[in-house]
Amino acid sequence: MARKTQNTADDPLAALTVAVGQEELLLDRAVREVTDAARAADPDTDVRDLAAGELQPGTLAELTSPSLFAERKVIVVRAAQDLGADTVKELKSYLAAPAEEITLVLLHAGGPKGKGLLDAARKAGAREVACPKMTKPADRLTFVRGEFRSLGRSASPGACQALVDAIGSDLRELASAVAQLTADVEGAIDESVVARYYTGRAEASSFTVADRAVEGRPAEALEALRWALATGVAPVLVTSALAQGVRAIGKLASAPGGMRPGDLARELGMPPWKIDRVRQQMRGWSADGVAVALRAVADADAAVKGGGYDPAYALEKAVVTIARAARSR
């Protein structure tokens, strides 16, 4: 039986959710909110998480066809702005009469590409979740405050600002840092607490490890990594910094040539000073090297989040792999 979508902002089990924006952490959280709600309603929920290229014409009809067991399904479509015209046509037809017990989640970058599908989803009454890139320091500060509140804790304004200053613009790192502080600190979280955890240790920071690795300096990267872990830097912060460093290499390497520095910075979402640093770091990198390095980061990230027995070993292996990839040209 078909059902009509309802624009129910607080119902993650609405027939259709669209998560709009380019902030990966927020997109992942939007997906997790829906899948967690679905599995709370039915532990046997079937979740299908698809890249745009995996949703070919006919695939949606197959996934949404009635089941003998009437099982609940969540179908996630990533990078929906990249879907082909025939698939978009099929999706629009489905939106007019979505199936019972199926929740469709479309992740869309926003912007003009694929806007027709986004407009159709909104017209159909989709539940919409905003996932914008947080490019302004004030937005990141608000994000940190919200993270503390969501964990049932508060932090002083100075602590929140110090954390943003120490960690930078990566929301995953900021969220991980907030989680670590709330788990480790029982009393008030003020500026002195943040200083104890995240400042005054420039030579042991996760970013130093990443910088040495992407520069192709394995010995120095390993030394920085071991010192960072010995002084309490969370392994997840190291993997996040490594991912950010490798992605920056890939983004700059694939950027159009001839762009002015200011335009290039806006296009890539990096401050101009970082463009200059990454340009120096990318010497020696190849496209294959970037791919190898990204796989190494993904493996390490899975290991430090419970998929491996020795996070330190996983990080050392990733650092060496990345440093070698930096010399692949």
Side-chain angles (χ1 to χ4, degrees), residues 83-144:
L83 292 170
D86 290 341
T87 303
V88 169
K89 183 178 179 180
E90 185 177 343
L91 261 172
K92 289 180 177 179
S93 177
Y94 173 81
L95 295 180
E100 290 283 356
E101 300 300 318
I102 293 179
T103 297
L104 178 63
V105 183
L106 301 179
L107 307 190
H108 195 290
K113 187 177 183 181
K115 188 174 183 295
L117 175 59
L118 185 56
D119 290 342
R122 287 168 170 161
K123 185 177 180 180
R127 168 180 176 263
E128 186 166 341
V129 181
C131 305
K133 278 285 188 184
M134 295 189 182
T135 58
K136 298 179 181 179
D139 292 337
R140 294 193 287 272
L141 192 58
T142 300
F143 172 80
V144 167

Side-chain angles (χ1 to χ4, degrees), residues 203-206 208-210 212 218-235 238-239 242 311-320:
E203 293 306 315
S205 75
S206 55
T208 299
V209 179
R212 299 299 172 268
E220 293 177 41
L222 285 173
E223 182 181 3
L225 171 64
R226 289 163 184 163
W227 182 247
L229 296 177
T231 53
V233 174
V238 179
T239 57
L242 290 171
Y313 171 75
L315 287 172
E316 289 186 3
K317 183 179 178 181
V319 162
V320 171

Side-chain angles (χ1 to χ4, degrees), residues 148 151 153 175-187 189 197:
F148 278 116
L151 294 172
R153 299 291 296 277
S176 297
V178 170
Q180 181 181 20
L181 288 172
T182 55
D184 291 355
V185 179
E186 294 184 0
I189 300 175
Y197 271 75

Side-chain angles (χ1 to χ4, degrees), residues 135-315:
T135 58
K136 298 179 181 179
D139 292 337
R140 294 193 287 272
L141 192 58
T142 300
F143 172 80
V144 167
R145 290 169 179 161
E147 289 294 289
F148 278 116
R149 283 196 300 270
S150 70
L151 294 172
R153 299 291 296 277
S154 62
S156 70
C160 294
Q161 184 64 62
L163 198 58
V164 171
D165 292 342
I167 300 299
S169 61
D170 191 294
L171 290 199
R172 290 188 188 277
E173 287 201 14
L174 287 169
S176 297
V178 170
Q180 181 181 20
L181 288 172
T182 55
D184 291 355
V185 179
E186 294 184 0
I189 300 175
D190 56 21
E191 196 168 352
S192 65
V193 171
V194 175
R196 188 166 71 247
Y197 271 75
Y198 294 104
T199 59
R201 300 181 305 181
E203 293 306 315
S205 75
S206 55
F207 290 106
T208 299
V209 179
D211 285 343
R212 299 299 172 268
V214 300
E215 289 164 2
R217 298 154 68 180
E220 293 177 41
L222 285 173
E223 182 181 3
L225 171 64
R226 289 163 184 163
W227 182 247
L229 296 177
T231 53
V233 174
V236 68
L237 295 182
V238 179
T239 57
S240 181
L242 290 171
Q244 186 174 331
V246 176
R247 283 199 299 265
I249 296 287
K251 287 168 68 175
L252 186 57
S254 60
M259 294 183 69
R260 294 180 299 180
D263 294 337
L264 184 60
R266 284 189 292 272
E267 175 74 17
L268 301 183
M270 299 181 193
W273 64 264
K274 188 169 183 178
I275 295 284
D276 294 337
R277 175 185 289 180
V278 175
R279 185 172 280 121
Q280 293 176 351
Q281 293 174 336
M282 66 185 289
R283 298 168 184 164
W285 280 90
S286 66
D288 289 341
V290 172
V292 168
L294 286 173
R295 285 196 296 271
V297 172
D299 290 344
D301 188 59
V304 303
K305 291 178 178 176
Y309 295 104
D310 188 345
Y313 171 75
L315 287 172

Side-chain angles (χ1 to χ4, degrees), residues 48 63 146 202 253 275 300 308 310 324:
R48 304 295 181 92
L63 291 174
I275 295 284
D310 188 345
R324 289 174 177 169

